[in-house]
Amino acid sequence: MTVLVLTQQLDPTADLVIRELHQRGIPVFRCDPGDFPEAVELEAHVSVTGAVTGVLRSAEREVDLEKVTSVYYRRPTPHRAHSRLNSTEQTWSEREAAAGFGGVVTTLGCRWVNHPHRNMAVAHKPHQLAAAARAGLTVPESLITNNADAARDFAEAQGKAVYKAMTGGPDTGGEARTASALYTTLVTADEITPGVARTAHLFQAWVDKACEVRLTVVGERLFAARIDARSAKAHVDWRADYRNLAYSPIEPPSGVGRAVHRLMSGLHLTFGALDFVVTPHGRWVFLELNPNGQWGWIQLATGQPIAAAIADQLQESSR
Amino acid sequence: MPLTATTDVTPPVEGAYRPFGLTRCTTTEPESGYDVSGIDYEPGSQMSVRDGRPLIDQPILGTAVQCTVTTTEDMQAWTDQVTDS
């Protein structure tokens, strides 16, 4: 039995899980897919029966693919081609690497937390909102449009509306190709310009909030952390002002819990980081689901044993 | 959709990312970078260490972990500030 952890080298969140696995005596093979092909080797055979066998090898260790019983898919980086290739060759090398490495690991018949294809399927906010509502969660009225008039009409009708980027902000450029953070913005109709036509924009009704909740789901376990904003900026989007937040464990209403389980089951996800607003009347309103969201700081702030719960899932073998 | 005389193609305010269809957006403090000095990867434990001890066993206030775009998809990038327990 071996747990394959796919993540970048500096990932303290993954370290929390790896330590749990070490303490349980469960072998771990940690690998950043970005190190393939230059620092990681793959030898995989696909037999005529569809069996996938072979090895994955780093400088320090190797793992028999048949012994991989679960995969923790955390923060892998893009494949990096040899620096001496020209740009055309690098692009091609990286594309082939993604097809080969990704094609092999994603076909391993084992438990995933979460399978990247499942993450991709639920990556988009409109999909999440619709799925959440169908599962029985309350969601804000939402408009996705590239029509400025429709956007203004919506903002007028809602009285108080927000804009949310669906994929973060523009790339910051450089090697990391990191999307810049672009936080929730309160918006009035007269602040909406014809530039809406340039792409899809997500507008939502503002939800009055007593507090917000980050609900981390690991299998059947729910870890809800109440987040209280202590600044105006944090009140609009708590991610915009981490220094002015307070955290405490909170129990979700039973109806919310059941709906969350229906949602996760319907989306075939084992892990999820869900964001809720709790209204002054105590109603939990679903905002979004990140199938690969951060959780390490929540555990450190609240003491909730999220790493242990993830290790529990990885320890269960499906082979 | 063809551009018209009323189409707004004003580029974003320099130094700030503004949505195409808004006159403003929520701005954040410029990132000052993350203090990752002295953090190494230990192949034996397959974890990060600093001063020879596991990073996760040490106070790491002020060290942020940046979510990067993954090989497949990420929801949104935000800094993950890990605080003392």
Side-chain angles (χ1 to χ4, degrees), chain A residues 15-144:
Chain A
D15 290 3
L16 292 170
V17 174
I18 289 173
R19 181 171 62 181
E20 280 285 334
L21 296 170
H22 285 335
Q23 289 172 346
R24 301 176 190 202
I26 297 170
V28 172
F29 185 95
R30 178 174 181 157
C31 166
D32 182 3
D35 288 337
F36 179 85
E38 291 302 316
V40 165
E41 281 189 355
L42 173 68
E43 288 180 37
H45 302 265
V46 180
S47 78
V48 295
T49 61
V52 178
T53 60
V55 294
L56 195 54
R57 186 182 296 121
S58 66
E60 299 84 24
R61 54 180 55 80
E62 70 175 48
V63 63
D64 181 339
L65 294 177
E66 287 188 288
K67 289 194 163 54
V68 174
T69 46
S70 57
V71 182
Y72 186 32
Y73 187 81
R74 251 294 297 178
R75 286 289 184 274
T77 62
H79 298 281
R80 292 180 291 277
H82 197 289
S83 58
R84 289 195 180 169
L85 299 178
N86 64 41
S87 61
T88 299
E89 291 168 334
Q90 284 189 0
T91 300
W92 186 37
S93 167
E94 289 161 4
R95 201 171 68 222
E96 289 287 295
F101 186 96
V104 167
V105 297
T106 55
T107 201
L108 294 176
C110 60
R111 175 182 290 261
W112 283 76
V113 181
N114 292 324
H115 196 286
H117 295 171
R118 299 291 188 196
N119 287 351
M120 283 179 67
V122 305
H124 302 125
K125 282 190 174 59
H127 184 139
Q128 297 166 20
L129 289 166
R134 292 170 191 156
L137 292 170
T138 302
V139 302
E141 193 72 28
S142 305
L143 171 72
I144 299 93

Side-chain angles (χ1 to χ4, degrees), chain B residues 16-30:
Chain B
Y17 292 112
R18 174 171 61 83
F20 293 105
L22 301 189
T23 57
R24 62 172 186 81
C25 68
T26 300
T27 57
T28 60
E29 297 296 324

Side-chain angles (χ1 to χ4, degrees), chain A:
Chain A
M1 172 184 188
T2 298
V3 174
L4 176 61
V5 178
L6 298 179
T7 193
Q8 58 194 300
Q9 200 173 81
L10 177 57
D11 185 0
T13 303
D15 290 3
L16 292 170
V17 174
I18 289 173
R19 181 171 62 181
E20 280 285 334
L21 296 170
H22 285 335
Q23 289 172 346
R24 301 176 190 202
I26 297 170
V28 172
F29 185 95
R30 178 174 181 157
C31 166
D32 182 3
D35 288 337
F36 179 85
E38 291 302 316
V40 165
E41 281 189 355
L42 173 68
E43 288 180 37
H45 302 265
V46 180
S47 78
V48 295
T49 61
V52 178
T53 60
V55 294
L56 195 54
R57 186 182 296 121
S58 66
E60 299 84 24
R61 54 180 55 80
E62 70 175 48
V63 63
D64 181 339
L65 294 177
E66 287 188 288
K67 289 194 163 54
V68 174
T69 46
S70 57
V71 182
Y72 186 32
Y73 187 81
R74 251 294 297 178
R75 286 289 184 274
T77 62
H79 298 281
R80 292 180 291 277
H82 197 289
S83 58
R84 289 195 180 169
L85 299 178
N86 64 41
S87 61
T88 299
E89 291 168 334
Q90 284 189 0
T91 300
W92 186 37
S93 167
E94 289 161 4
R95 201 171 68 222
E96 289 287 295
F101 186 96
V104 167
V105 297
T106 55
T107 201
L108 294 176
C110 60
R111 175 182 290 261
W112 283 76
V113 181
N114 292 324
H115 196 286
H117 295 171
R118 299 291 188 196
N119 287 351
M120 283 179 67
V122 305
H124 302 125
K125 282 190 174 59
H127 184 139
Q128 297 166 20
L129 289 166
R134 292 170 191 156
L137 292 170
T138 302
V139 302
E141 193 72 28
S142 305
L143 171 72
I144 299 93
T145 188
N146 64 336
N147 182 304
D149 289 335
R152 293 190 192 100
D153 290 345
F154 180 86
E156 287 278 6
Q158 299 307 319
K160 198 171 180 183
V162 295
Y163 159 84
K164 289 184 181 175
M166 289 178 277
T167 63
D171 284 354
T172 54
E175 283 188 17
R177 292 179 1 226
T178 306
S180 60
L182 192 62
Y183 299 111
T184 303
T185 300
L186 282 165
V187 61
T188 58
D190 58 6
E191 291 172 325
I192 294 171
T193 76
V196 169
R198 296 286 72 78
T199 191
H201 288 63
L202 169 63
F203 297 95
Q204 288 187 308
W206 166 264
V207 179
D208 283 336
K209 57 182 86 168
C211 67
E212 298 196 61
V213 171
R214 163 54 67 91
L215 177 57
T216 306
V217 183
V218 184
E220 290 299 309
R221 300 190 67 179
L222 306 180
F223 300 97
R226 174 182 172 133
I227 303 173
D228 288 288
R230 292 175 171 167
S231 73
K233 188 179 286 187
H235 187 66
V236 176
D237 190 330
W238 56 262
R239 297 163 300 158
D241 196 7
Y242 279 89
R243 289 182 182 83
N244 282 294
L245 301 174
Y247 306 91
S248 56
I250 185 172
E251 195 63 32
S254 57
V256 170
R258 286 193 297 272
V260 167
H261 285 308
R262 280 195 295 271
L263 174 64
M264 296 292 288
S265 174
L267 298 178
H268 307 287
L269 296 175
T270 300
F271 173 90
L274 285 68
D275 289 336
F276 289 83
V277 157
V278 181
T279 70
H281 299 294
R283 182 158 210 172
W284 286 47
V285 180
F286 171 91
L287 296 184
E288 60 195 274
L289 179 161
N290 187 335
N292 204 0
Q294 298 288 22
W295 56 267
W297 96 100
I298 291 288
Q299 170 164 319
L300 295 181
T302 65
Q304 293 171 321
I306 301 172
I310 293 173
D312 289 342
Q313 291 293 320
L314 295 169
Q315 192 169 0
E316 289 184 32
S317 169
S318 61
R319 285 192 185 276

Side-chain angles (χ1 to χ4, degrees), chain B:
Chain B
M1 181 180 294
L3 295 178
T4 67
T6 60
T7 303
D8 180 359
V9 293
T10 306
V13 174
E14 186 176 345
Y17 292 112
R18 174 171 61 83
F20 293 105
L22 301 189
T23 57
R24 62 172 186 81
C25 68
T26 300
T27 57
T28 60
E29 297 296 324
E31 290 299 340
S32 58
Y34 314 115
D35 179 14
V36 296
S37 60
I39 298 176
D40 296 312
Y41 178 73
E42 185 181 75
S45 63
Q46 302 184 84
M47 295 165 54
S48 293
V49 295
R50 186 164 65 190
D51 299 326
R53 293 187 299 123
L55 184 65
I56 54 178
D57 288 339
Q58 303 178 44
I60 41 181
L61 185 65
T63 299
V65 177
Q66 177 78 50
C67 296
T68 59
V69 177
T70 69
T71 52
T72 54
E73 185 65 67
D74 201 340
M75 296 306 303
Q76 51 211 346
W78 69 79
T79 55
D80 200 14
Q81 291 197 0
V82 186
T83 61
D84 288 335
S85 57

